[in-house]
């Protein structure tokens, strides 16, 4: 039986939604989770938690493709067997005596079909970057999205603000970065390889709706002989990997498959309008390993779940970071058969267009990785990927509930301030979920304890707090110390002015003390390298 206990970040997403609905007048809230983060686990558990508050009303899950509808219904049943789930699409109309209705947006665009569904108290929109479309707006309006019914949208990317998404989603309450998912051990690391196609002049391809026009792009790829170049690159760099190839047109997808088959790499093509049975057969071939590569005309960007995929060929150059993330994300899921993912970026001459690349997988500002370097390795070199001690995936309540004053720097480092010249902080261990403690003082800098042990977060925290109590009087460490409620002292205000640390209105002496320690600790650790201190 699969384990669907929510991960810490999934619980945080649920908490962000429920807190957002409770604390503000906004009811249309969005969550941005990378491909592979388990959004269905999030909204299945969200629905289960919310049902008791809905007064007999039900949850409605909206999706726009048949595969997404079937997958969502099956996953909700698996995650929460206590929920009764029905499907509404085409000839199916299973909305009676169920807790959750998973429905096709196209079906509910028919007024008669949506009128038949009553008592909706919670709306979930899967792949919610489509929600600015007129059909979505009509359906959401019908079920009360603009009359206070709580609505949660889930997507891997929120990039269509110009298309009206800002009118649908009032607030994005939780986001998760792919790079942090990699560092947390929830996605595999990823490397990129440029596949340069001589003769592919992308400057001649016009822009339509903010991205390269599919038809012209497909023609440019075919005219330049890109299929053969891609096939050769696949054989050289990914011959042992299961992969998906993204192309702008059906013709290009088919020519890519032909070129791969010609050099002995089994491939088949799927596209949006192919017969359902034929598409299901092709997907089954890929799942079973009967074919190594699936080429497709942009139908695998959403809802495609094949974790063994370890290569994505971006033969659809794009200006859209969101679309790039959707394509690349198909190869990043964890699977026992792979240790990392490979992106083959098809490139041509381009001076007019700024194209998305591997660095667009993360919201962190970083340079393009050097040849052979993975995304996390490149970020480590720039001190970006996993800020020292960053504990993104553990329950941060461990820190907040501790009586000891744990603080976090702007770079994500958790630390315990001891004196103005000394603090203890956490750094990641050699294994996922393990941590070590380090001490910094103004005379010797960073040094490890002896013995330098690593342990799970809770144990490392306890050890750190014990050491802190031995180094300073316990009253100095207390989160609830009496001085913290006083007004800031003139000395504190002067320090903050000198160091350009803004003091928010209404801050107490304790708040300002925290700001001072965070600033000083961040500055002390700015050039710290875990490897150098090991």
């Amino acid at each position: 039986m699969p384990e669907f206990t929510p991960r810490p970040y999934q619980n945080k997403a649920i908490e962000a939604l429920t807190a957002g609905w409770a604390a503000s007048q906004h009811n249309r809230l969005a969550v941005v989770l990378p491909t592979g983060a388990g959004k269905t686990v999030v909204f299945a558990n969200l629905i289960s938690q919310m049902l008791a508050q809905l007064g007999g009303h039900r949850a409605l899950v909206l999706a726009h493709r048949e595969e997404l509808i079937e997958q969502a219904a099956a996953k909700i049943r698996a995650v929460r067997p206590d929920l009764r789930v029905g499907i509404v699409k085409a000839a199916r109309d299973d909305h009676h005596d169920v807790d959750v209705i998973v429905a096709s947006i196209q079906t509910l665009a028919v007024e008669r079909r949506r009128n038949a569904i009553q008592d909706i108290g919670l709306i979930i929109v899967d792949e919610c970057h489509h929600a600015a479309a007129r059909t979505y707006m009509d359906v959401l309006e019908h079920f009360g999205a603009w009359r206070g019914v709580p609505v949660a949208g889930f997507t891997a990317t929120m990039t269509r603000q110009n298309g009206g998404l800002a009118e649908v989603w009032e607030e994005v309450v939780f986001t998760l970065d792919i790079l942090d998912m990699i560092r947390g051990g929830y996605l595999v690391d990823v490397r990129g390889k440029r596949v340069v196609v001589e003769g592919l002049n992308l400057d001649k391809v016009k822009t339509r709706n903010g991205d390269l026009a599919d038809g012209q792009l497909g023609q440019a790829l075919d005219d330049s002989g890109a299929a053969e170049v891609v096939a050769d690159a696949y054989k050289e760099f990914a011959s042992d990997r299961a992969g998906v190839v993204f192309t702008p047109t059906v013709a290009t997808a088919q020519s890519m498959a032909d070129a791969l088959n010609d050099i002995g790499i089994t491939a088949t093509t799927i596209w949006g309008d192919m017969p359902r049975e034929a598409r299901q057969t092709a997907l089954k071939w890929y799942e079973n390993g009967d074919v190594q590569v699936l080429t497709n005309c942009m139908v695998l960007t959403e809802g495609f779940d094949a974790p063994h995929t370890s290569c994505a060929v971006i033969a659809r150059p794009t200006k859209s970071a969101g679309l790039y993330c959707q394509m690349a994300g198909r190869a990043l899921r964890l699977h026992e058969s792979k240790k990392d993912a490979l992106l083959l970026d098809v490139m041509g001459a381009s001076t007019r267009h700024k194209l998305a690349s591997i660095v667009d997988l993360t919201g962190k500002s970083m340079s393009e990785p050097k040849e052979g370097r993975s995304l996390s390795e490149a970020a480590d070199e720039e001190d970006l990927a996993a800020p020292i001690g960053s504990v993104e995936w553990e329950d941060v309540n461990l820190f907040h509930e501790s009586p000891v004053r744990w603080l976090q720097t702007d770079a994500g480092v958790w630390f315990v301030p001891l004196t103005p010249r000394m603090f203890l902080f956490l750094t990641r261990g050699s294994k996922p979920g393990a941590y070590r403690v380090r001490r910094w003082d103004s005379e010797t800098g960073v040094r490890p304890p002896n013995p330098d042990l690593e342990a799970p977060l809770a144990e490392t925290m306890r050890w750190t707090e014990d050491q802190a109590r031995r180094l300073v009087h316990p009253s100095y460490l207390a989160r609830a110390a009496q001085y913290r409620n006083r007004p800031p002292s003139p000395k504190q205000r002067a320090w903050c002015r000198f160091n350009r640390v803004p003091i928010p209105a209404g801050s107490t002496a304790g708040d300002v003390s925290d700001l001072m320690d965070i600033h000083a600790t961040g500055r002390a650790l700015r050039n710290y390298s875990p490897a150098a201190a090991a």
Side-chain angles (χ1 to χ4, degrees):
M1 186 69 158
E3 177 57 55
F4 291 119
T5 301
R7 295 167 174 171
Y9 68 80
Q10 292 169 335
N11 279 324
K12 288 173 68 175
I14 294 170
E15 291 165 5
L17 286 165
T18 54
W21 288 323
S24 75
Q25 296 181 343
H26 292 168
N27 67 297
R28 301 187 305 278
L29 307 180
V31 168
V32 179
L33 292 173
T35 299
K39 67 177 183 292
T40 314
V41 174
V42 175
F43 63 68
N45 282 284
L46 172 68
I47 291 168
S48 183
Q49 289 186 25
M50 291 285 291
L51 275 181
Q53 308 172 30
L54 299 181
H57 285 57
R58 291 98 59 75
L60 173 66
V61 178
L62 299 175
H64 71 287
R65 288 220 324 269
E66 181 173 339
E67 289 92 341
L68 296 176
I69 295 163
E70 297 290 351
Q71 283 181 17
K75 194 63 172 285
I76 292 170
R77 292 187 185 105
V79 173
R80 300 298 314 194
D82 54 311
L83 295 176
R84 297 170 297 168
V85 182
I87 291 178
V88 172
K89 65 168 186 174
R92 296 184 66 175
D93 210 21
D94 308 328
H95 61 83
H96 299 288
D97 300 319
V98 297
D99 304 307
V100 185
I101 302 163
V102 183
S104 158
I105 192 70
Q106 292 85 356
T107 297
L108 295 190
V110 178
E111 186 175 3
R112 171 180 57 84
R113 299 297 295 272
R114 62 178 182 260
N115 283 341
I117 297 175
Q118 302 295 320
D119 302 323
I120 297 301
L122 172 66
I123 304 171
I124 306 293
V125 183
D126 194 12
E127 305 293 354
C128 70
H129 52 282
H130 295 291
R134 185 73 260 165
T135 49
Y136 274 91
M137 299 284 272
D138 289 345
V139 172
L140 289 171
E141 167 65 31
H142 175 86
F143 287 106
W146 276 266
R147 298 188 302 278
V149 172
V151 186
F154 292 83
T155 181
T157 175
M158 190 72 81
T159 57
R160 283 180 51 190
Q161 295 294 344
N162 293 334
L165 280 177
E167 299 175 15
V168 181
W169 304 111
E170 298 169 289
E171 187 178 356
V172 176
V173 295
F174 186 82
T175 61
L176 200 58
D177 193 272
I178 282 181
L179 188 51
D180 292 332
M181 288 281 289
I182 292 170
R183 298 301 301 180
Y186 296 114
L187 295 176
V188 297
D189 204 355
V190 56
R191 302 175 191 276
K193 184 74 179 177
R194 293 163 62 92
V195 179
V196 179
V197 179
E198 300 293 340
L200 175 59
N201 187 352
L202 297 177
D203 283 344
K204 294 182 178 180
V205 179
K206 292 183 179 179
T207 297
R208 184 171 299 145
N209 297 324
D211 203 358
L212 301 180
D214 289 340
Q216 291 187 22
L217 179 56
Q219 191 63 55
L221 287 162
D222 290 338
D223 290 347
S224 64
E228 288 73 22
V229 178
V230 168
D232 289 341
Y234 203 101
K235 187 169 186 178
E236 181 177 355
F237 301 111
S239 60
D240 59 342
R241 295 175 181 262
V244 292
V245 180
F246 293 93
T247 70
T249 65
V250 175
T252 311
Q254 291 172 331
S255 64
M256 294 278 180
D258 290 342
L260 286 162
N261 283 310
D262 286 346
I263 62 171
I265 294 176
T266 55
T268 192
T269 304
I270 65 172
W271 62 95
D273 295 331
M274 73 187 298
R276 179 178 181 274
E277 288 188 7
R279 181 157 63 175
Q280 292 301 319
T281 297
L283 290 171
K284 185 62 69 175
W285 287 343
Y286 181 68
E287 181 182 336
N288 294 340
D290 297 324
V291 296
Q292 184 178 345
V293 179
L294 278 181
T295 69
N296 78 104
C297 175
M298 307 310 294
V299 297
L300 299 180
T301 55
E302 300 168 355
F304 174 64
D305 188 6
H308 74 293
T309 302
S310 66
C311 180
V313 180
I314 314 299
R316 197 274 176 241
T318 178
K319 299 168 73 172
S320 167
L323 177 57
Y324 188 94
C325 289
Q326 288 178 320
M327 293 187 286
R330 300 300 137 188
L332 269 60
R333 292 180 184 271
L334 298 178
H335 193 265
E336 63 270 13
S337 68
K338 67 188 189 188
K339 62 178 182 178
D340 62 9
L342 174 66
L343 303 182
L344 296 180
D345 270 335
V346 176
M347 311 294 290
S350 179
T351 58
R352 289 177 49 221
H353 306 297
K354 183 183 183 304
L355 300 177
S357 68
I358 189 172
V359 296
D360 290 293
L361 294 179
T362 175
K364 305 176 192 295
S365 178
M366 63 177 291
S367 305
E368 199 80 22
K370 297 176 183 177
E371 186 74 17
R373 308 299 282 170
S374 72
L375 185 66
S376 67
E377 289 169 347
D380 278 341
E381 291 171 358
E382 297 188 32
D383 196 25
L384 292 174
I388 310 150
S390 174
V391 191
E392 305 266 353
W393 316 117
E394 278 69 21
D395 188 353
V396 294
N397 285 336
L398 286 174
F399 297 100
H400 298 324
E401 292 173 358
S402 171
V404 171
R405 188 167 64 110
W406 282 93
L407 298 175
Q408 190 177 29
T409 70
D410 293 338
V413 183
W414 286 100
F415 70 99
V416 176
L418 302 177
T419 72
R421 297 179 177 275
M422 183 169 57
F423 58 84
L424 301 176
F425 68 97
L426 300 187
T427 183
R428 286 192 180 275
S430 60
K431 300 176 182 177
Y435 298 87
R436 297 176 184 268
V437 64
R438 293 289 182 266
R439 171 177 166 176
W440 180 92
D441 66 54
S442 57
E443 294 184 3
T444 60
V446 176
R447 54 176 171 167
N450 185 18
D452 184 12
L453 303 176
E454 67 178 52
L457 176 61
E459 186 176 336
T460 307
M461 284 180 63
R462 284 194 298 271
W463 192 91
T464 303
E465 292 173 2
D466 287 343
Q467 292 301 305
R469 292 185 183 98
R470 296 179 184 181
L471 291 167
V472 297
H473 192 279
S475 63
Y476 186 81
L477 305 170
R479 186 188 299 277
Q482 289 186 354
Y483 85 91
R484 292 180 60 81
N485 295 321
R486 300 171 188 162
S489 70
K491 187 175 181 180
Q492 285 181 313
R493 291 186 179 278
W495 190 97
C496 288
R497 281 195 301 272
F498 180 80
N499 289 279
R500 298 181 179 179
V501 176
I503 300 177
S507 295
T508 65
D511 296 331
V512 176
S513 178
D514 291 348
L515 292 171
M516 294 167 64
D517 285 328
I518 289 169
H519 178 84
T521 301
R523 187 169 54 192
L525 292 179
R526 189 169 298 152
N527 298 317
Y528 168 68
S529 167

